[in-house]
Amino acid sequence: MNSDPFDFSDVGPAPKATPPAQQAPWLSGLNPAQREAVERLDGPVLVLAGAGTGKTRVLTTRIAHMIATGKAHPGEVLAVTFTNKAAREMRERVERLLGRPAAGMALGTFHSISARWLREHAELVGLKSSFTILDTDDQIRLLKQLIKAADIDEKRWPARMLAGLIDRWKNKALTPDRVPQGEGFNFADGRGLELYAQYQARLKVLNACDFGDLLLHMITIFQHHGDILTRYQNRYRRLLVDEYQDTNVAQYLWLRLLAQRPDDQPRNICCVGDDDQSIYGWRGAEVGNILRFESDFPGAHIVRLEQNYRSTGHILGAASSLIAANSGRLGKTLWTDAGSGDKITICGVWDALEEARTVGDRVEALQRSGHSLAEMAVLVRAGFQTREFEERMITLGIPYRVVGGPRFYERAEIRDALAYLRVLVQPDDDLAFERILNVPKRGLGPAAMQAINRLARLEDIPMSRAAAMLTDSEELRPQARRSLALFLEDFRRWREDLDHLDHPTLTEQILEDSGYIEMWQKDKSPDAEGRLDNLREMVSAMRDFDTLPGFLEHISLVMENQEASGVEKLSIMTLHAAKGLEFDTVFLPGWEEGVFPNQRAIDEGGLESLEEERRLAYVGLTRAKKRAIILFAANRQIFGQWQSSLPSRFIEDLDAKHVDTLNAQGLYSGQEGSMASGAWGGFQAMTPNRPVGRVGHAPAIVMRAEGTAHNPIGAVAAPSASANQGATSPSKAGWSAAACRKPKPPALPKETGCFTTNSAMARSCQWMATSWWSCLNIPEKNA
DNA sequence: AACGGAGACCTTTTT
DNA sequence: GGTCTCCGTT
């Protein structure tokens, strides 16, 4: 919150004298490895911390230790995490250990810390301190404009693609002048770089930057202004980095610059990470950073944390056997002295509907036997998979929350409201201006927008100024001109109010005066009420901030879905979002080829991304303390098309001695009647509640393949179609769907499914014979 | 200018 | 199946 990084006024009294180390209460209960990681304060340290080995504890205790013993002043500590949640948690734990606030400590994400610093030095990169942080949405809109202006076909070269390209460059700390000519990236026949440069120039005019710029600008400043770098180096003598395996090149450079010390002084940098949990390669993370640590920081000490305190033996064993299939690991051997516990469960189901039903039933059963919903989680590969579970939980009345779902500030109404505020504090913000010019509708459509844009470009001025000029000209139709004048007049008035109204009140007034509230009140779609609620929530959240700019900064970096009630809820989230969390029970649905591992990862990234998928699976399994249930469905709808699917290869990686196949009771039940006939025997034979002996008849599958059967898959589609009828509309975006939803005839199988395509068929049959069998053939336990 | 229907995309994962 | 964009109609 404090914007001056060199302001020591809030750091409190100097720490007390050093107590004898052996009496330090915070050290008790640490195992020897943990203790070393905490106490070795001088020189570079790399802590290789396996899943559940007390990584956060080590990190927080280390900070508390150095402060409490007087080895470091809180103001010298710079601790970086990847998520705001991790940062928050870490601060809380440090302060709990210390028994007092650790004021002055820089603890936050790479991005939030950079943003704070950049506000100090914005002018050095051509920005004003009041710069706006654009989110992806703004970024795309801006790029779209540039692409259009460059006369490039938007269809062939979508803005998203360019955004991804620029992002990758920024992740590698490549400013436009540094992108190598031969860089293999192609966009619009080699015009990508040109557009990148234009984009950066445009950002400067808008007084804005994107996420990547936050780091990149700081790196540029550090590299060009040695005096500033030295100030930061001298201030932050204690660097700590969480999740080091996830750092990208830019973050790595950022850290290296800060960790640089004169030769006679130790580089007190402590990085904590786990190469087996590196799951952000797609976003530019370089596992190489962690693998290279020793050579980067000569004299580095490496501490391995291998005792796992989280999971029971079978879970750990299964996870270890899975990750062992990867190559190029630093290698750790996790162990636990907790009991072996339950084996992990693998459960095959017919389709996604049954998958959700199975999970729901299990959740209810656990709940009945006294388990808390807060200790259960459903972890999916990709965001879209959450829907089936949401719908099921709604039907069952099980409270749930989708963690890391659409962010609060990404909702349209919040973005609209924010756009008003952005224009208010920074009239140059064209993106915000454009967004609200005709929201709510005030007769300023495309024609007016175009006129403003043309003039703005011609005169090289912000749109708000161009708009003001247009109210004095004959260019717009009288009606539009009047409307525009009123719009600008509103802003003039609101700016006057800035001085004598507190910002939540002013915001309310703006939303009221502008007709924005009214717009939603008149809206008859079912979620209009929710949007008004969100706006109210936003206004009340503003009260926590002293200033409007402070709030805007916060919301663009941090704002998350806030948990209103204290009701215990089942967590549903992606595997990525689950990193760092733990639950007694973890459900892992969708373990099918194409879903997990993800098809794109298989197609594009080669072995490397396949291994990343496997690490993701490893992360998923190791979230479980006591129970892990893996599910896979034989059929799944993808893009509205039914596809047959095969169990994930990761299932096969699991050491059988840690695995149980589900008590197959009720597997496919309820649908059996409709599916009993036809050429469908092969699949049916595989239901584990059939005699195991029949399972092995591979020919049955071939039969099915040749059966060109509309029958079997028609039967699949039926239940799902009827489910659509009854399903409560999901929380988001359900408006028109709810109204026009009608029963549809069962979808026909897609001809290119793996049973009709030659190569796919061959492959699938092989899979059937090997992997699917082997996992279902495991002797059943408890019938 | 506003609305509604048809058609093309689409799905990783996120600060 | 969903969402977004374009284009036609009022």
Side-chain angles (χ1 to χ4, degrees):
Chain A
M1 310 294 129
N2 195 331
S3 59
D4 179 5
F6 296 101
D7 179 5
F8 281 87
S9 61
D10 59 350
V11 294
K16 293 217 183 83
T18 315
Q22 62 270 32
Q23 281 170 21
W26 54 86
L27 293 178
S28 66
L30 295 180
N31 68 38
Q34 289 175 327
R35 199 161 163 153
E36 188 187 359
V38 166
E39 292 187 300
R40 187 175 288 281
L41 292 184
D42 293 325
V45 176
L46 175 65
V47 182
L48 286 176
T53 55
K55 177 195 68 163
T56 310
R57 181 168 182 200
V58 161
L59 217 39
T60 51
T61 310
R62 186 179 161 97
I63 297 174
H65 181 68
M66 62 174 80
I67 293 176
T69 56
K71 286 269 174 58
H73 197 283
E76 295 173 343
V77 176
L78 173 62
V80 215
T81 63
F82 275 85
T83 65
N84 293 296
K85 205 166 90 191
R88 208 181 317 129
E89 193 183 309
M90 206 179 288
R91 179 176 292 275
E92 277 164 16
R93 285 177 70 165
V94 169
E95 295 184 343
R96 207 178 314 142
L97 283 168
L98 284 175
R100 62 185 161 91
M105 179 170 67
L107 197 165
T109 63
F110 280 101
H111 293 88
S112 68
I113 289 174
S114 296
R116 203 158 63 211
W117 291 351
L118 189 56
R119 298 247 177 238
E120 296 291 307
H121 312 290
E123 71 289 352
L124 296 178
V125 287
L127 294 173
K128 286 181 266 177
S129 165
S130 59
F131 65 83
T132 310
I133 301 167
L134 299 187
D135 61 26
T136 323
D137 205 80
D138 290 323
Q139 208 182 337
I140 301 274
R141 281 196 299 147
L142 183 50
L143 288 172
K144 220 174 247 177
Q145 291 172 9
L146 292 173
I147 290 170
K148 206 184 263 176
D151 212 24
I152 294 168
D153 184 8
E154 278 180 80
K155 288 273 155 60
R156 248 188 94 199
W157 306 104
R160 298 201 142 277
M161 189 195 250
L162 183 58
L165 195 58
I166 291 176
D167 221 46
R168 261 170 284 155
W169 278 325
K170 289 189 174 174
N171 284 339
K172 290 194 200 160
L174 296 172
T175 46
D177 54 303
R178 288 197 192 159
V179 176
Q181 281 301 325
E183 191 86 356
F185 296 113
N186 293 323
F187 186 86
D189 307 312
R191 298 180 67 188
L193 185 52
E194 166 195 334
L195 286 163
Y196 178 22
Q198 282 176 20
Y199 170 69
Q200 289 307 113
R202 190 87 186 98
L203 285 179
K204 224 172 258 186
V205 175
L206 292 171
N207 189 26
C209 67
D210 62 23
F211 276 117
D213 282 339
L214 293 173
L215 281 134
L216 198 44
H217 283 327
M218 277 319 294
I219 290 173
T220 307
I221 290 169
F222 284 154
Q223 285 174 337
H224 293 351
H225 300 84
D227 53 322
I228 293 177
L229 176 61
T230 310
R231 271 163 72 198
Y232 281 87
Q233 286 168 341
N234 286 340
R235 166 155 189 191
Y236 296 110
R237 290 156 187 273
R238 301 284 170 180
L239 270 54
L240 297 103
V241 188
D242 193 14
E243 309 281 14
Y244 189 62
Q245 77 283 351
D246 287 335
T247 50
N248 61 33
V249 172
Q251 287 153 343
Y252 169 75
L253 272 175
W254 190 97
L255 283 170
R256 273 207 73 151
L257 285 163
L258 285 165
Q260 212 76 41
R261 308 287 308 156
D263 282 341
D264 56 325
Q265 289 182 40
R267 298 169 181 193
N268 298 321
I269 181 168
C270 172
C271 296
V272 181
D274 179 2
D275 53 318
D276 289 335
Q277 292 185 71
S278 159
I279 54 175
Y280 284 104
W282 53 273
R283 168 174 107 174
E286 293 272 339
V287 205
N289 290 345
I290 196 167
L291 304 175
R292 248 194 358 256
F293 189 86
E294 270 181 294
S295 56
D296 281 343
F297 297 98
H301 268 273
I302 298 194
V303 182
R304 280 187 157 76
L305 303 184
E306 297 183 306
Q307 182 175 3
N308 176 294
Y309 295 97
R310 180 185 294 152
S311 311
T312 52
H314 279 307
I315 292 170
L316 210 54
S320 298
S321 63
L322 174 73
I323 200 66
N326 270 5
S327 55
R329 306 168 53 218
L330 285 175
K332 290 179 302 301
T333 317
L334 294 190
W335 58 278
T336 177
D337 55 16
S340 55
D342 292 343
K343 292 185 178 183
I344 66 169
T345 306
I346 294 180
C347 172
V349 292
W350 175 244
D351 63 0
L353 199 72
E354 189 183 350
E355 187 178 52
R357 207 181 309 137
T358 308
V359 170
D361 292 351
R362 275 261 174 157
V363 168
E364 282 189 321
L366 284 164
Q367 225 182 343
R368 272 195 301 274
S369 54
H371 297 278
S372 161
L373 282 179
E375 277 302 329
M376 303 176 213
V378 181
L379 309 183
V380 296
R381 174 64 183 85
F384 68 87
Q385 291 171 268
T386 60
R387 181 183 286 125
E388 55 173 293
F389 295 100
E390 286 190 69
E391 288 182 353
R392 189 62 198 159
M393 298 311 148
I394 290 171
T395 312
L396 294 176
I398 296 173
Y400 70 90
R401 63 181 169 152
V402 178
V403 178
R407 257 159 253 287
F408 187 72
Y409 72 85
E410 278 171 3
R411 292 159 202 257
E413 65 277 16
I414 299 300
R415 294 181 48 82
D416 288 340
L418 289 174
Y420 272 94
L421 299 175
R422 276 163 58 182
V423 173
L424 188 76
V425 290
Q426 209 214 303
D428 295 3
D429 192 335
D430 285 2
L431 289 162
F433 185 87
E434 242 171 69
R435 186 178 178 98
I436 53 168
L437 182 64
N438 202 28
V439 178
K441 305 265 191 279
R442 49 172 74 87
L444 298 170
M449 177 80 78
Q450 230 171 18
I452 296 172
N453 251 324
R454 190 159 1 99
L455 184 60
R457 194 151 307 188
L458 194 72
E459 300 283 325
D460 197 23
I461 49 172
M463 289 178 71
S464 54
R465 285 201 34 217
M469 286 166 71
L470 280 177
T471 58
D472 296 329
S473 80
E474 298 295 317
E475 196 163 340
L476 290 176
R477 305 226 314 268
Q479 216 179 344
R481 209 190 317 158
R482 218 168 320 127
S483 180
L484 185 58
L486 278 173
F487 180 64
L488 295 172
E489 168 60 18
D490 276 343
F491 268 101
R492 199 194 52 71
R493 219 182 47 246
W494 293 327
R495 282 197 194 104
E496 275 175 14
D497 290 341
L498 260 175
D499 300 330
H500 49 91
L501 284 181
D502 63 276
H503 52 279
T505 312
L506 178 58
T507 304
E508 273 172 344
Q509 196 170 319
I510 290 174
L511 295 176
E512 196 64 53
D513 292 357
S514 62
Y516 191 75
I517 295 280
E518 195 190 348
M519 177 181 98
W520 287 116
Q521 282 168 342
K522 279 189 184 153
D523 192 304
K524 53 214 170 299
S525 64
D527 53 25
E529 194 47 51
R531 292 178 189 269
L532 288 166
D533 283 343
N534 288 337
L535 289 169
R536 274 188 282 272
E537 199 179 317
M538 186 192 88
V539 171
S540 81
M542 293 177 78
R543 297 189 197 284
D544 296 337
F545 295 85
D546 298 336
T547 65
L548 189 52
F551 168 72
L552 290 175
E553 167 103 351
H554 175 81
I555 205 163
S556 59
L557 285 171
V558 180
M559 196 72 169
E560 291 149 12
N561 280 336
Q562 285 175 340
E563 275 314 304
S565 68
V567 184
E568 286 182 351
K569 287 175 178 167
L570 169 74
S571 298
I572 303 175
M573 69 186 100
T574 64
L575 288 159
H576 284 88
K579 191 158 81 154
L581 305 178
E582 57 179 27
F583 303 89
D584 284 346
T585 308
V586 166
F587 296 94
L588 300 161
W591 282 43
E592 296 134 39
E593 286 293 301
V595 176
F596 191 31
N598 177 283
Q599 191 61 46
R600 285 254 284 254
I602 300 171
D603 293 344
E604 289 167 19
L607 182 66
E608 214 167 293
S609 63
L610 188 66
E611 295 205 336
E612 180 154 313
E613 295 283 301
R614 192 177 278 110
R615 290 195 289 269
L616 200 49
Y618 174 77
V619 166
L621 266 179
T622 53
R623 298 310 94 195
K625 292 197 262 188
K626 296 175 184 156
R627 280 169 295 274
I629 297 104
I630 293 171
L631 301 103
F632 63 89
N635 298 280
R636 192 175 291 275
Q637 227 179 357
I638 297 169
F639 310 142
Q641 295 281 1
W642 281 100
Q643 314 237 224
S644 303
S645 44
L646 301 164
S648 168
R649 66 192 76 188
F650 300 149
I651 289 177
E652 214 187 7
D653 290 335
L654 301 168
D655 187 335
K657 68 174 177 277
H658 301 298
V659 171
D660 252 348
T661 304
L662 174 72
N663 69 63
Q665 216 143 54
L667 219 85
Y668 309 146
S669 67
Q671 293 163 41
E672 221 152 41
S674 60
M675 299 187 298
S677 59
W680 136 253
F683 257 78
Q684 209 171 36
M686 277 185 283
T687 64
N689 56 349
R690 302 267 148 188
V692 176
R694 279 190 58 191
V695 171
H697 290 308
I701 299 151
V702 179
M703 235 177 73
R704 186 190 171 213
E706 290 167 351
T708 55
H710 22 295
N711 182 14
I713 309 203
V716 184
S720 185
S722 63
N724 272 346
Q725 257 180 317
T728 346
S729 86
S731 45
K732 52 186 173 183
W735 44 97
S736 58
C740 48
R741 184 174 281 144
K742 37 186 141 167
K744 289 199 179 130
L748 286 175
K750 200 184 167 202
E751 285 303 315
T752 52
C754 61
F755 292 101
T756 46
T757 308
N758 282 344
S759 61
M761 188 176 98
R763 190 173 135 66
S764 70
C765 288
Q766 193 173 1
W767 262 96
M768 288 301 164
T770 57
S771 93
W772 183 310
W773 279 174
S774 59
C775 73
L776 286 185
N777 249 341
I778 293 158
E780 283 178 46
K781 196 179 156 182
N782 102 60

